Amino acid sequence: MPKAQSRSPLCKDEVGSDWIKRKIISRTSKMKSILLAALILCQNAFLFCQINQFESGIKVPGFKKSNQIFPSDVTCRIILKDFDNDSDLDMVFANMRSSAKLWFNNGSGIFIESEQEFPTEMHDVAVGDLDLDGDHDIIFASTRETTISPLFMNTGSGNFNLSDFNLESGEKFKLIDINNDNYPDLFLMGRGTGIYLNNKRNSFTKTDLTIAINYSVDFADFNNDGSFDFISGERGKGIKVY
């Protein structure tokens, strides 16, 4: 039987923000549709939207590349969040060989590059409401020992102010409220491996806990005492539980 294909009405230039959010949230089963928000390649990032494909009368997920191309040079991480509080999903790119980029969704799934300047040679990015003011702030991770990992505070409309706080260089981040004060704390991986507690003044204080260089970590309440523990994959030290 020939394959029948019907295009989603929200494809290519018609990708809608509500549709994007539904597909990103819907990651529950094999046959559920997942919006592949961006495919990271060495030269460009591409936006894909879902199409409906039918094989022998059974719906199977499929994707079609949109016309929009996002120039980059080794994009290491992409995060989708509503940075300008207009109820659609925007995107931030951490790029290795070019500056990090922020792209605003115009409400129809078309992304407009922000004019704001961000640093170059960023290996990772973490997003969270670091000051609990209701918007998403950004931390970039730098892989160079001579480069700090900059913290950008959102003013509420997608404009960012560079914080005076200088975080050590690192390769990956994990944001989690470790001390149960509702403020996101930071686990930094790579050369600057360590736990940094949010001091509620747009900066962090590193704890005294000594952790070997780490590239993988996850948090959970292992002993049911109401606080986070974590398991850490440490270079030369194996797997440790704290």
Side-chain angles (χ1 to χ4, degrees):
M1 178 181 295
K3 180 187 295 186
Q5 188 179 80
S6 64
R7 183 174 70 93
S8 164
L10 297 174
C11 197
K12 298 183 73 173
D13 292 348
E14 303 166 349
V15 177
S17 59
D18 290 339
W19 181 81
I20 288 176
K21 282 185 278 189
R22 288 200 305 271
K23 299 309 176 188
I24 289 172
I25 292 171
S26 175
R27 297 200 246 184
T28 54
S29 71
K30 295 179 186 176
M31 298 304 291
K32 293 268 185 169
S33 49
I34 301 172
L35 174 67
L36 183 59
L39 176 64
I40 304 172
L41 301 177
C42 290
Q43 294 182 344
N44 297 300
F46 299 91
L47 180 68
F48 284 72
C49 59
Q50 189 184 8
I51 59 176
N52 293 328
Q53 296 185 142
F54 294 89
E55 294 181 359
S56 301
I58 301 175
K59 181 180 177 181
V60 296
F63 297 92
K64 186 173 183 179
K65 186 167 66 177
S66 81
N67 290 330
Q68 188 166 9
I69 298 176
F70 304 89
S72 66
D73 192 354
V74 187
T75 298
C76 296
R77 182 84 186 273
I78 299 174
I79 292 182
L80 289 90
K81 292 289 184 181
D82 181 9
F83 291 107
D84 52 2
N85 286 323
D86 63 352
S87 300
D88 52 38
L89 290 173
D90 311 302
M91 300 191 294
V92 60
F93 288 15
N95 296 327
M96 278 293 294
R97 297 178 184 171
S98 59
S99 61
K101 300 293 184 183
L102 177 63
W103 296 83
F104 291 117
N105 191 332
N106 71 355
S108 299
I110 304 301
F111 292 86
I112 310 300
E113 183 178 350
S114 168
E115 296 180 357
Q116 185 159 351
E117 293 185 2
F118 291 101
T120 60
E121 297 188 21
M122 297 293 111
H123 188 266
D124 195 20
V125 58
V127 173
D129 188 1
L130 303 179
D131 50 2
L132 299 188
D133 64 348
D135 53 39
H136 296 291
D137 309 304
I138 298 174
I139 310 177
F140 290 103
S142 168
T143 57
R144 298 185 62 180
E145 294 185 24
T146 57
T147 306
I148 64 169
S149 295
L151 167 60
F152 288 85
M153 305 303 297
N154 195 337
T155 63
S157 58
N159 294 312
F160 290 84
N161 294 325
L162 178 61
S163 171
D164 294 331
F165 174 67
N166 293 331
L167 184 67
E168 293 183 51
S169 64
E171 296 184 34
K172 293 175 65 179
F173 289 125
K174 192 173 184 69
L175 283 173
I176 188 168
D177 180 15
I178 296 172
N179 57 357
N180 293 319
D181 65 352
N182 296 321
Y183 282 80
D185 305 303
L186 180 68
F187 192 101
L188 180 63
M189 289 171 265
R191 284 182 299 272
T193 292
I195 293 176
Y196 295 76
L197 297 180
N198 191 329
N199 62 21
K200 308 174 187 177
R201 295 187 298 276
N202 299 347
S203 60
F204 293 81
T205 300
K206 189 175 184 179
T207 67
D208 294 330
L209 179 63
T210 301
I211 307 171
I213 292 177
N214 169 297
Y215 294 103
S216 180
V217 67
D218 204 4
F219 288 81
D221 184 4
F222 297 137
N223 55 1
N224 294 317
D225 65 351
S227 59
F228 278 117
D229 313 297
F230 67 94
I231 184 168
S232 171
E234 302 175 2
R235 190 171 73 182
K237 304 290 184 179
I239 306 297
K240 290 190 174 182
V241 176
Y242 292 82

